[in-house]
Amino acid sequence: MSTSGSNLDINTVLEKSAKYRNWGKWGSEDELGSGNYVTAETIARAATLVKKGSVFSLALPLDSKGPMDGSFDRVNPIHLMMQDGGDIAAGGQDHLATLRYTDDSVYLVLQSSTQWDALSHIYHDGKMYNDYGLEMVTSQGAHKNSITNMKDRAVGRGVLLDIARYKGKKSLDVSEPISNEDLEGCAAAEGVEIGEGDFVLVRTGQMQQRRDAGSWGDFAGGPAPGLAISASDFFCPRHVTAVATDTWGTEVLPNETPDVFQPLHIIMLVNAGIYLGEMWDMEELAADCAADGVYEFMLVAPPLTVTGSVGSPVNPQAIK
Amino acid sequence: MSTSGSNLDINTVLEKSAKYRNWGKWGSEDELGSGNYVTAETIARAATLVKKGSVFSLALPLDSKGPMDGSFDRVNPIHLMMQDGGDIAAGGQDHLATLRYTDDSVYLVLQSSTQWDALSHIYHDGKMYNDYGLEMVTSQGAHKNSITNMKDRAVGRGVLLDIARYKGKKSLDVSEPISNEDLEGCAAAEGVEIGEGDFVLVRTGQMQQRRDAGSWGDFAGGPAPGLAISASDFFCPRHVTAVATDTWGTEVLPNETPDVFQPLHIIMLVNAGIYLGEMWDMEELAADCAADGVYEFMLVAPPLTVTGSVGSPVNPQAIK
Amino acid sequence: MSTSGSNLDINTVLEKSAKYRNWGKWGSEDELGSGNYVTAETIARAATLVKKGSVFSLALPLDSKGPMDGSFDRVNPIHLMMQDGGDIAAGGQDHLATLRYTDDSVYLVLQSSTQWDALSHIYHDGKMYNDYGLEMVTSQGAHKNSITNMKDRAVGRGVLLDIARYKGKKSLDVSEPISNEDLEGCAAAEGVEIGEGDFVLVRTGQMQQRRDAGSWGDFAGGPAPGLAISASDFFCPRHVTAVATDTWGTEVLPNETPDVFQPLHIIMLVNAGIYLGEMWDMEELAADCAADGVYEFMLVAPPLTVTGSVGSPVNPQAIK
Amino acid sequence: MSTSGSNLDINTVLEKSAKYRNWGKWGSEDELGSGNYVTAETIARAATLVKKGSVFSLALPLDSKGPMDGSFDRVNPIHLMMQDGGDIAAGGQDHLATLRYTDDSVYLVLQSSTQWDALSHIYHDGKMYNDYGLEMVTSQGAHKNSITNMKDRAVGRGVLLDIARYKGKKSLDVSEPISNEDLEGCAAAEGVEIGEGDFVLVRTGQMQQRRDAGSWGDFAGGPAPGLAISASDFFCPRHVTAVATDTWGTEVLPNETPDVFQPLHIIMLVNAGIYLGEMWDMEELAADCAADGVYEFMLVAPPLTVTGSVGSPVNPQAIK
């Protein structure tokens, strides 16, 4: 049975939210959620996956050519030079003894490119993960569940589920859902098992498809392949720490539920406390995995430490 | 003989610059510098240092309470919310089906806190690393030697040289230099050898001293303990990839050379192509190293991928 | 009797707020407040005050040397060049035919220097001017009472009440209050009457005192001379449109009411709907007025049109 | 004879530049250019044009819906709230005694909307107005010819030349040039003469045409009606201080000279030192002028005082 059936609605979301809810599991003051599954053991084991010494950066370039189109008021990164070579040439630093320097700054919407969603990024019925209320995210930032809680926890075993390749496609079709069965099938085909504390990377191929097309088009928010609601039945019971995709919004768009926007965010992030990564560039990593048949690796993806941030740009490192 | 003798000047800097210059070593188009010392072998070996599964984040919080005081026009990070709980409460997202979200952005001077200097950050006599000229850093950013070249290279063996502890102090004295001999003595005392491709962390204790004092004071640019010019005799021949300190500017301040500001930046960064990390918070890591006697670890410190950036904030991960 | 008596408290504020409240006076949908006093007649009459053709800009420079010290998260303006002469010299615009250009941007806290408070800037008991609630200012800005409502209304008769000069001082003392009697006395001494639709500029001399001292010190929020609560008895019945000072916060600091911060903002801005201008530089204007004995002029002080803004930088023009 | 003949080229530009060059006219240190034409007399006379007390704001809203499309790295204004009603509701200001406040900031490309070009905005052959070189605009801003020089000079007689109406059109055609003859004809038809120190507003109708269309389209940089090169023969001899249009770039686009981009900027701004205003919204003003037949008024258009800025947003006030 297809998981993208048209009879999914808010009730499906509520049922699965209740089923997979981890509120209180690690105490009423917990702010880590599935970050709790990261342990000394998972970290130490992840390092053993490093065999050949290859590092793959999964970050898009942060610049004005990024995928943002202004929707949700999100603009692409604005890089601004404070000191540059021209200033030096013009004598602007002649008061310094011999040394000359350049300097720069950026205006950065924290979720404008390759990024982490914090557990404070999504609310449902006035609550975010672990029952924290609306008053916990003000103009001063998140007082609970900031992504900074993961500053030393985004380390572990990474597994690539290359769904596009599994389905024999360069890229999934527009609005093609990825179901529980798809994930199970792909994992089996790759010979990997997903376990507690894993960081699972799901590749749809959409990012590369847009890159090949020479334009992001409606990448940021338009129709897209992505995870179906049933994917929660794959990830939640396995106690993964995080799930990342190469798409804008993790989930299949339009969503399966006409009455709920981004339902998987509610089930997995708000309730299960699973971190979501978006716009991760998996192309080089995927080519390597296809070549050597090894789909697991050490994943180190530390967020910036912007106090109170509800998301973070990240330069994830997949190390094989 | 003391390395902080008062007879050091521009000639010392020129001699050592010539001696340790790596321009052309990896070709006239090279932009990696000592990043070339990072190899599959150094990466794979670094992962074997992970034993107990402990992760230490070496990043300061990025917020308005940071160490910047406006010198060099550097301000502390400015975190700005685009959507918060108050907006949700006020009904500002009632057009969305069920899900609610928060969103944020930051104005970030790239070297305002825990950071990497790019090889394009420093010029001497009109040249940066590998002979690139002033026209290579414009208001559009660095066209050569951006820190983004290190996006998948800031991985390797980390070694902590805890100079403060070696000298039996909580923190080095103001303007206390760290010489070649100090570094050798500390390494010997810790039982570590520094080798090719290493990322060396040098702890002065100054950061903690300011934290204990409850104020950054003149941390950003004032008198400070730090590396002496002779430290280049330690690092350059050993082919390290990077050196980081827990201070604002790596070097002892005031510098040993009245006629050259930040001479070690010229010798090591401009000429040897060694990356410099500044304001790395090593306190927890140092305590752990002192406790278990293990001063080496896997270091993963990926820069942001801001196109053309001459520096980057970083959340370095020391993994033991 | 002194207006800065120690027995002032929240009750004083509530009484005067009730007495001078203009909510509903111009309808339940009004967003102009005392901006309604600006009429074709007041505008036309103001122009007749232009006699000798002198223009005085009352704006401080917007740059990193401004009076902000980070309190209330307010930083000084950050000016950033996007294209400059160095870029042109480096050939960065050689794709353009012949013409070359420079370009720039600014990060600007809207109330970080010479500025207007919008009627949406202040709340009391959950309400701003004309009974609008908290939900009317979200992260998307002010949906009511934005300063943009004054985009074509900040024109009229300006009157300088040079209190410092009236009291025979270069600058009022720290925490010296300006009472109803002071204002009446000063106006009488200057031979001016304050009337409906006027923009009244009150000079304490504090700005110049800090400029002479070479440092802003605690100008932004520290003890300061300024308007006493009784000043509301002067301004409100006279139906002025706006009151501006050369201080950070209009009011005498510390305030006369230990249990209410900035009580005059509540009485005059929230209730009477009078616009407040802060950090207006009146020195040159004051010297001119003292010289020719003419304390009235045409005042044109248009806010920026930032949609939903709760304040605005302004370059006020006093034209005599 | 058409002024948009195809045989115009760089030589035309050089000839007219030489003919109308004002370098040195007001001394070798002058930074005002045609701002020198603003005198006590022109200011006082301008005020006499205020008859009926009507004020027209000529500024577009500064928000994310503005005309910028990212070309030239210019983004629309980004308005960011620092404190809002939601924060108050959440108790974020409960440490304050009774009063509550909102606060905001903006990231603003200075020429992203209704604006002034500074004399430092344009270079030709390495020189800006009055022979200043490239080293005079660095990352620290303009050291000469900043728009701040006009902080108390953007006051004078405004005249609207409503070319669209004169030609009997709602809006000029795409790429329709406005020639010397057009300007003379329009002035004659309106019964106005242009004189020294005037601020001339030229309406093409293009802004309203885009507003009616519901989209800015290629307003920022695409084909557009605008001033022809021969317009310099109208403006320069008459010693105007400034010329503003309701278009993105003042000039007809594509330009008449294939080998020079924006030739009129070179002739009028660089050489004659005439200020250019762009994206001024003249619709309401034009309707009023058409209704009462009065095309002259007092114009007060003060720039922001961003130190070293090469342009400025402006909220121009046309007062009749």
Side-chain angles (χ1 to χ4, degrees):
Chain A
M1 194 196 86
S2 166
T3 56
S4 59
S6 56
N7 55 349
L8 300 181
D9 64 9
I10 181 72
N11 292 315
T12 321
V13 178
L14 294 177
E15 282 161 29
K16 289 190 188 294
S17 290
K19 183 172 178 186
Y20 297 128
R21 186 170 299 147
N22 283 327
W23 299 6
K25 176 171 181 172
W26 296 283
S28 63
E29 291 299 309
D30 181 59
E31 301 184 41
L32 278 171
S34 292
N36 284 292
Y37 294 130
V38 176
T39 64
E41 199 189 337
T42 63
I43 292 165
R45 222 178 330 123
T48 67
L49 300 175
V50 180
K51 311 285 191 188
K52 56 185 187 184
S54 296
V55 179
F56 300 89
S57 161
L58 311 182
L60 286 171
L62 291 167
D63 60 33
S64 63
K65 298 188 183 71
M68 294 299 103
D69 62 4
S71 305
F72 294 91
D73 287 330
R74 289 176 177 168
V75 297
N76 285 308
I78 300 172
H79 182 212
L80 296 151
M81 297 303 294
M82 300 158 65
Q83 292 285 340
D84 58 35
D87 301 320
I88 300 170
Q93 295 180 14
D94 287 354
H95 58 286
L96 292 179
T98 311
L99 174 135
R100 299 290 180 269
Y101 75 103
T102 63
D103 215 359
D104 50 359
S105 63
V106 72
Y107 175 72
L108 190 61
V109 174
L110 292 172
Q111 301 188 25
S112 60
S113 187
T114 307
Q115 54 105 344
W116 278 126
D117 281 359
L119 298 184
S120 48
H121 176 50
I122 304 293
Y123 275 94
H124 188 241
D125 265 347
K127 298 294 183 181
M128 56 170 155
Y129 168 75
N130 216 19
D131 209 24
Y132 295 118
L134 295 173
E135 75 285 0
M136 284 295 131
V137 183
T138 69
S139 292
Q140 302 307 99
H143 307 288
K144 294 287 180 185
N145 291 347
S146 170
I147 194 64
T148 57
N149 291 306
M150 287 296 281
K151 71 176 181 174
D152 55 5
R153 293 266 178 163
V155 177
R157 177 184 182 237
V159 178
L160 175 69
L161 295 181
D162 189 342
I163 304 294
R165 186 169 176 275
Y166 167 64
K167 295 211 169 178
K169 298 176 175 182
K170 279 191 75 169
S171 170
L172 296 193
D173 298 335
V174 172
S175 302
E176 182 172 352
I178 300 169
S179 67
N180 182 1
E181 291 84 352
D182 293 330
L183 295 164
E184 287 184 337
C186 180
E190 293 179 358
V192 291
E193 291 196 12
I194 304 298
E196 192 158 303
D198 281 355
F199 294 73
V200 186
L201 281 53
V202 179
R203 181 176 168 270
T204 70
Q206 191 205 21
M207 181 180 283
Q208 186 59 33
Q209 182 254 322
R210 295 306 164 98
R211 201 148 37 198
D212 291 343
S215 164
W216 288 109
D218 61 359
F219 182 80
L227 297 175
I229 290 178
S230 74
S232 61
D233 298 321
F234 182 83
F235 293 115
C236 296
R238 282 172 172 83
H239 292 181
V240 303
T241 289
V243 177
T245 66
D246 57 350
T247 62
W248 171 80
T250 305
E251 310 190 36
V252 64
L253 282 168
N255 301 126
E256 298 158 294
T257 45
D259 52 353
V260 187
F261 181 56
Q262 299 287 72
L264 212 57
H265 277 69
I266 295 172
I267 300 167
M268 288 175 54
L269 190 147
V270 174
N271 285 284
I274 295 173
Y275 292 86
L276 300 180
E278 290 163 339
M279 295 180 269
W280 291 34
D281 186 355
M282 306 172 184
E283 293 308 303
E284 285 186 47
L285 173 65
D288 187 84
C289 293
D292 69 6
V294 179
Y295 285 85
E296 60 178 359
F297 40 86
M298 185 184 195
L299 192 280
V300 184
L304 283 189
T305 53
V306 180
T307 303
S309 52
V310 301
S312 179
V314 62
N315 178 1
Q317 309 279 295
I319 314 175
K320 292 180 70 173
Chain B
M1 195 196 85
S2 164
T3 56
S4 60
S6 57
N7 55 349
L8 299 182
D9 64 8
I10 180 72
N11 292 314
T12 321
V13 178
L14 294 177
E15 281 162 29
K16 289 190 188 294
S17 290
K19 184 172 179 185
Y20 297 128
R21 186 170 300 146
N22 284 328
W23 299 5
K25 176 170 180 171
W26 297 282
S28 64
E29 292 299 310
D30 181 60
E31 301 184 42
L32 277 172
S34 292
N36 284 292
Y37 295 130
V38 176
T39 63
E41 199 188 336
T42 63
I43 292 165
R45 222 179 329 125
T48 67
L49 301 174
V50 179
K51 310 286 192 190
K52 56 185 186 185
S54 296
V55 179
F56 300 88
S57 162
L58 312 181
L60 287 170
L62 291 167
D63 60 33
S64 63
K65 299 189 183 71
M68 296 299 103
D69 62 4
S71 306
F72 296 90
D73 287 331
R74 288 177 178 167
V75 297
N76 285 309
I78 301 171
H79 182 212
L80 296 151
M81 296 304 294
M82 300 158 65
Q83 293 285 342
D84 58 34
D87 300 320
I88 299 170
Q93 296 179 14
D94 287 353
H95 57 289
L96 291 179
T98 311
L99 174 134
R100 299 292 181 268
Y101 74 103
T102 62
D103 213 1
D104 50 359
S105 62
V106 72
Y107 175 73
L108 189 61
V109 174
L110 293 172
Q111 301 188 25
S112 59
S113 187
T114 307
Q115 53 106 344
W116 278 126
D117 281 358
L119 298 184
S120 48
H121 175 50
I122 303 292
Y123 276 94
H124 188 241
D125 265 348
K127 299 293 182 181
M128 57 170 152
Y129 168 75
N130 217 18
D131 210 25
Y132 295 117
L134 294 173
E135 73 285 0
M136 285 295 131
V137 183
T138 68
S139 291
Q140 301 308 99
H143 306 288
K144 294 286 180 186
N145 291 346
S146 169
I147 194 65
T148 57
N149 291 304
M150 287 296 281
K151 71 176 180 174
D152 54 6
R153 293 264 178 164
V155 177
R157 177 185 182 235
V159 179
L160 175 70
L161 294 181
D162 188 342
I163 304 294
R165 186 168 177 275
Y166 166 65
K167 295 210 169 179
K169 298 176 175 182
K170 278 191 76 168
S171 169
L172 296 192
D173 297 336
V174 172
S175 302
E176 181 172 353
I178 301 169
S179 67
N180 182 1
E181 291 83 352
D182 294 330
L183 295 164
E184 286 184 336
C186 180
E190 292 179 0
V192 290
E193 291 196 12
I194 304 298
E196 193 159 300
D198 280 356
F199 294 73
V200 186
L201 281 52
V202 179
R203 180 176 169 271
T204 71
Q206 191 205 21
M207 181 180 284
Q208 186 59 33
Q209 181 254 321
R210 296 306 164 97
R211 202 148 35 198
D212 290 343
S215 163
W216 289 109
D218 60 0
F219 182 80
L227 296 175
I229 289 178
S230 74
S232 61
D233 298 321
F234 182 82
F235 293 115
C236 296
R238 282 172 172 82
H239 293 181
V240 304
T241 289
V243 177
T245 66
D246 58 348
T247 63
W248 171 79
T250 304
E251 310 190 37
V252 63
L253 282 167
N255 300 126
E256 297 158 294
T257 46
D259 52 354
V260 188
F261 181 57
Q262 298 287 71
L264 213 57
H265 277 69
I266 295 173
I267 300 167
M268 287 176 53
L269 189 147
V270 175
N271 284 285
I274 295 172
Y275 292 86
L276 300 179
E278 290 163 340
M279 293 180 271
W280 291 32
D281 186 355
M282 307 172 183
E283 293 308 304
E284 284 186 48
L285 173 65
D288 187 83
C289 293
D292 69 7
V294 179
Y295 285 84
E296 60 179 359
F297 40 85
M298 185 184 195
L299 192 280
V300 184
L304 282 190
T305 54
V306 180
T307 301
S309 52
V310 302
S312 180
V314 61
N315 178 0
Q317 309 279 295
I319 314 175
K320 294 179 68 172
Chain C
M1 193 196 86
S2 166
T3 56
S4 59
S6 56
N7 55 350
L8 299 182
D9 64 9
I10 181 72
N11 293 315
T12 320
V13 178
L14 295 177
E15 280 161 29
K16 288 191 188 292
S17 290
K19 183 172 178 187
Y20 297 128
R21 186 168 299 147
N22 284 327
W23 300 5
K25 176 171 180 171
W26 297 283
S28 64
E29 291 300 310
D30 181 60
E31 301 185 41
L32 278 172
S34 292
N36 284 292
Y37 294 130
V38 176
T39 63
E41 197 188 337
T42 63
I43 292 165
R45 223 180 327 124
T48 67
L49 300 174
V50 179
K51 310 285 193 191
K52 56 186 187 183
S54 298
V55 179
F56 301 89
S57 162
L58 311 182
L60 286 171
L62 290 167
D63 59 35
S64 62
K65 300 188 183 71
M68 294 299 103
D69 62 4
S71 305
F72 296 91
D73 288 330
R74 288 177 179 168
V75 297
N76 285 308
I78 301 172
H79 182 211
L80 295 150
M81 296 303 295
M82 300 158 65
Q83 292 286 339
D84 58 35
D87 301 319
I88 300 171
Q93 296 179 14
D94 287 353
H95 58 287
L96 291 179
T98 311
L99 173 135
R100 299 290 180 270
Y101 74 103
T102 63
D103 214 1
D104 50 359
S105 62
V106 72
Y107 175 72
L108 190 60
V109 174
L110 293 172
Q111 301 188 25
S112 60
S113 187
T114 308
Q115 54 106 343
W116 277 127
D117 282 358
L119 298 185
S120 48
H121 176 50
I122 303 292
Y123 276 94
H124 188 241
D125 264 348
K127 299 293 182 181
M128 57 169 152
Y129 168 74
N130 216 19
D131 209 25
Y132 296 118
L134 294 173
E135 74 285 0
M136 285 294 131
V137 183
T138 68
S139 291
Q140 303 307 101
H143 307 289
K144 294 287 180 186
N145 291 347
S146 169
I147 195 65
T148 57
N149 290 306
M150 288 295 281
K151 71 176 180 174
D152 55 5
R153 292 265 178 163
V155 177
R157 177 184 181 236
V159 179
L160 175 70
L161 294 181
D162 189 344
I163 303 295
R165 185 169 177 275
Y166 166 65
K167 295 210 169 179
K169 298 176 175 182
K170 278 191 77 169
S171 169
L172 295 193
D173 298 336
V174 172
S175 302
E176 182 172 352
I178 302 169
S179 68
N180 183 1
E181 291 82 353
D182 294 329
L183 295 163
E184 287 184 337
C186 180
E190 292 180 359
V192 291
E193 293 197 10
I194 304 298
E196 191 158 304
D198 281 355
F199 295 73
V200 186
L201 281 55
V202 179
R203 179 176 170 271
T204 70
Q206 191 206 20
M207 180 179 284
Q208 186 58 34
Q209 182 254 322
R210 296 304 164 99
R211 201 147 37 197
D212 291 343
S215 164
W216 289 109
D218 62 359
F219 182 80
L227 296 176
I229 289 177
S230 74
S232 61
D233 298 322
F234 182 83
F235 292 116
C236 295
R238 283 173 171 82
H239 292 181
V240 303
T241 289
V243 176
T245 67
D246 58 349
T247 62
W248 171 79
T250 305
E251 309 190 38
V252 64
L253 282 166
N255 300 127
E256 299 158 293
T257 45
D259 52 353
V260 188
F261 181 55
Q262 299 286 74
L264 212 56
H265 278 69
I266 294 172
I267 301 166
M268 287 176 53
L269 190 147
V270 174
N271 285 285
I274 295 172
Y275 292 86
L276 300 180
E278 290 162 340
M279 294 180 270
W280 290 34
D281 185 355
M282 307 172 184
E283 292 309 303
E284 285 185 48
L285 173 64
D288 187 84
C289 293
D292 69 6
V294 179
Y295 286 85
E296 60 178 358
F297 40 85
M298 185 184 194
L299 193 280
V300 184
L304 282 189
T305 53
V306 180
T307 303
S309 52
V310 302
S312 179
V314 63
N315 178 0
Q317 309 278 293
I319 313 174
K320 292 181 68 173
Chain D
M1 193 195 86
S2 166
T3 56
S4 60
S6 58
N7 56 348
L8 299 181
D9 64 8
I10 179 73
N11 292 314
T12 320
V13 178
L14 294 177
E15 280 162 29
K16 288 190 188 294
S17 289
K19 185 172 177 186
Y20 297 128
R21 185 170 299 147
N22 284 328
W23 300 6
K25 177 170 180 172
W26 296 283
S28 64
E29 292 298 311
D30 181 59
E31 301 184 42
L32 277 172
S34 291
N36 284 292
Y37 294 130
V38 175
T39 64
E41 200 190 334
T42 63
I43 292 165
R45 223 178 328 124
T48 67
L49 300 175
V50 179
K51 310 287 191 189
K52 56 186 188 185
S54 297
V55 179
F56 300 89
S57 162
L58 311 182
L60 286 171
L62 291 167
D63 60 33
S64 62
K65 298 189 183 70
M68 295 299 102
D69 62 4
S71 306
F72 296 90
D73 287 330
R74 288 177 178 167
V75 297
N76 285 309
I78 300 172
H79 183 212
L80 296 149
M81 297 302 295
M82 300 159 64
Q83 292 285 341
D84 57 36
D87 301 320
I88 300 170
Q93 296 180 14
D94 287 353
H95 57 288
L96 292 179
T98 310
L99 173 134
R100 299 292 181 266
Y101 75 102
T102 64
D103 214 1
D104 50 0
S105 63
V106 71
Y107 175 72
L108 189 60
V109 174
L110 293 172
Q111 301 188 23
S112 60
S113 187
T114 307
Q115 53 106 344
W116 277 126
D117 281 0
L119 297 185
S120 48
H121 175 51
I122 303 292
Y123 276 95
H124 188 240
D125 264 349
K127 299 294 182 181
M128 58 171 151
Y129 168 76
N130 217 19
D131 209 25
Y132 295 118
L134 295 173
E135 74 284 0
M136 285 295 131
V137 183
T138 69
S139 291
Q140 302 307 101
H143 307 288
K144 294 286 180 186
N145 291 346
S146 169
I147 195 64
T148 56
N149 290 305
M150 288 294 282
K151 72 175 180 175
D152 55 5
R153 292 266 178 162
V155 177
R157 177 185 181 236
V159 179
L160 175 70
L161 295 181
D162 188 343
I163 304 294
R165 186 169 176 274
Y166 166 65
K167 295 211 170 179
K169 298 175 175 183
K170 279 191 77 169
S171 169
L172 295 193
D173 298 336
V174 172
S175 302
E176 182 172 351
I178 300 169
S179 67
N180 183 1
E181 290 83 353
D182 293 330
L183 295 163
E184 286 185 337
C186 179
E190 293 180 358
V192 290
E193 292 196 12
I194 304 298
E196 192 158 302
D198 279 356
F199 294 73
V200 186
L201 281 53
V202 179
R203 180 176 169 271
T204 71
Q206 191 206 20
M207 180 178 284
Q208 186 58 34
Q209 182 254 321
R210 296 305 164 97
R211 201 147 38 196
D212 291 343
S215 164
W216 288 108
D218 60 0
F219 182 80
L227 296 175
I229 289 178
S230 74
S232 62
D233 298 321
F234 181 84
F235 292 116
C236 296
R238 281 172 172 83
H239 292 180
V240 303
T241 288
V243 177
T245 66
D246 58 349
T247 63
W248 171 78
T250 304
E251 309 190 37
V252 63
L253 282 167
N255 301 126
E256 298 158 294
T257 46
D259 52 353
V260 187
F261 181 56
Q262 298 286 71
L264 212 56
H265 277 69
I266 295 173
I267 300 167
M268 287 176 52
L269 190 147
V270 175
N271 285 284
I274 295 172
Y275 293 86
L276 300 179
E278 290 163 339
M279 294 180 269
W280 290 33
D281 186 355
M282 307 172 184
E283 293 309 303
E284 283 186 48
L285 172 64
D288 187 84
C289 293
D292 70 6
V294 179
Y295 286 85
E296 60 178 359
F297 40 85
M298 186 183 193
L299 192 280
V300 184
L304 282 189
T305 54
V306 179
T307 302
S309 52
V310 302
S312 179
V314 61
N315 178 1
Q317 309 279 295
I319 314 174
K320 293 181 68 172

